[in-house]
Amino acid sequence: MTRASRAAQEELFDAASAPAPDREQLEPGAFVLRAFAAEEAPALLDAIGLVAQAAPLRHMTTARGWRMSVAMTNCGDAGWLSDRSGYRYDAIDPQTGRRWPAMPEVFAHLAARAASAARFAGFAPDACLINRYEPGTRLTLHQDRDEQDFDAPIVSVSLGVPATLLWGGAARTDRPRRVRLEHGDVVVWGGPARLNFHGIDTLREGHHALTGSARFNLTFRRALLRR
Ligand code: MD3
Ligand code: FE
């Protein structure tokens, strides 16, 4: 095929909105962008290190008093919290008494670009939850419903050791699909999929040159209504 005819074919491909091979659709409103963040990964991990210096990764407690196996921290205007009184967003980190660190530029930029690639224009996240998984840790099936704005999508970035996303439906009892998430993969959820149940299966032992035995996940959300 000549260069010109290849270009013409790619244009046709776009015009027909066929799913590009690097943009898998899980269901309407849910996309996996394979390796979308691979290039920025070292910068993202450096920024995670800086955030964690100001707001340490910690194991939160569920409302029922269980210690979460995944370590968490936040940056942005609002941080997600869990303790004996339940789940909520707060501008202040209870551990330091200070505001959460500002959202690093490299985070905000990547989140907006990923949302655009999944056809959600103008995504301006105000909250980023940073999760650290070590071997043996997991996140049980849940919904993300503590946000005030369900119209905005959610963008999630996987870094380091691969994990299995349990991708459920609108009801807790819907049998989840298993989706492998590797270093640099970005997932975008919005519209009808925004309130789907999901979780992360127990992390296996592994090694990644940039994170060692750990997997990091960044979850970008619009927690507060836009003023
Ligand atoms: C599906 N984190 O922090 S991100 C979470 O990899 C969380 O750390 C997981 O679930 C992680 O709440 C998965 C993927 C994700 C995020 C939001 C979703 C999947 C979602 C919202 C609706 C449906
Ligand atoms: Fe979640």
Side-chain angles (χ1 to χ4, degrees):
M1 210 191 296
T2 64
R3 265 178 97 92
S5 64
R6 187 188 301 279
Q9 202 188 40
E10 275 167 12
E11 223 169 285
L12 267 177
F13 198 77
D14 268 347
S17 293
D22 54 350
R23 190 176 63 205
E24 279 163 55
Q25 191 172 31
L26 287 172
E27 63 177 88
F31 296 88
V32 184
L33 310 173
R34 294 289 176 194
F36 190 87
E39 222 169 285
E40 288 94 333
L44 295 171
L45 287 162
D46 284 350
I48 290 172
L50 291 174
V51 168
Q53 276 179 27
L57 285 151
R58 81 290 305 266
H59 295 273
M60 297 187 194
T61 303
T62 67
R64 293 175 171 248
W66 297 97
R67 173 188 188 265
M68 297 182 75
S69 64
V70 177
M72 301 178 171
T73 189
N74 293 278
C75 59
D77 291 340
W80 185 84
L81 290 172
S82 177
D83 61 21
R84 288 309 296 247
S85 61
Y87 306 139
R88 67 185 175 283
Y89 282 91
D90 201 308
I92 303 295
D93 175 356
Q95 192 166 307
T96 65
R98 296 189 302 264
R99 301 184 66 89
W100 298 102
M103 180 112 49
E105 197 55 50
V106 63
F107 279 24
H109 190 232
L110 177 77
R113 277 202 304 121
S116 303
R119 300 200 193 88
F120 293 98
F123 180 49
D126 58 7
C128 176
L129 175 65
I130 301 172
N131 292 335
R132 187 190 65 206
Y133 297 77
E134 289 289 351
T137 67
R138 63 197 279 256
L139 197 61
T140 55
L141 218 56
H142 66 278
Q143 287 172 296
D144 291 11
R145 55 177 182 203
D146 304 314
E147 299 74 29
Q148 294 175 5
D149 182 356
F150 292 152
D151 294 335
I154 290 180
V155 172
S156 139
V157 180
S158 293
L159 298 168
V161 171
T164 301
L165 170 70
L166 304 171
W167 170 249
R172 187 180 290 277
T173 50
D174 293 342
R175 188 160 190 261
R177 277 170 65 178
R178 300 173 64 83
V179 179
R180 183 109 168 131
L181 293 181
E182 302 206 26
H183 178 72
D185 289 350
V186 175
V187 194
V188 182
W189 286 270
R194 174 64 180 75
L195 290 170
N196 278 27
F197 279 87
H198 59 278
I200 294 289
D201 201 359
T202 309
L203 196 78
R204 305 271 207 108
E205 296 281 351
H207 178 84
H208 190 281
L210 297 178
T211 65
S213 57
R215 169 182 187 258
F216 287 90
N217 181 264
L218 304 175
T219 306
F220 294 96
R221 305 189 178 97
R222 187 80 214 172
L224 314 173
L225 289 174
R226 299 182 78 142
R227 290 136 290 157

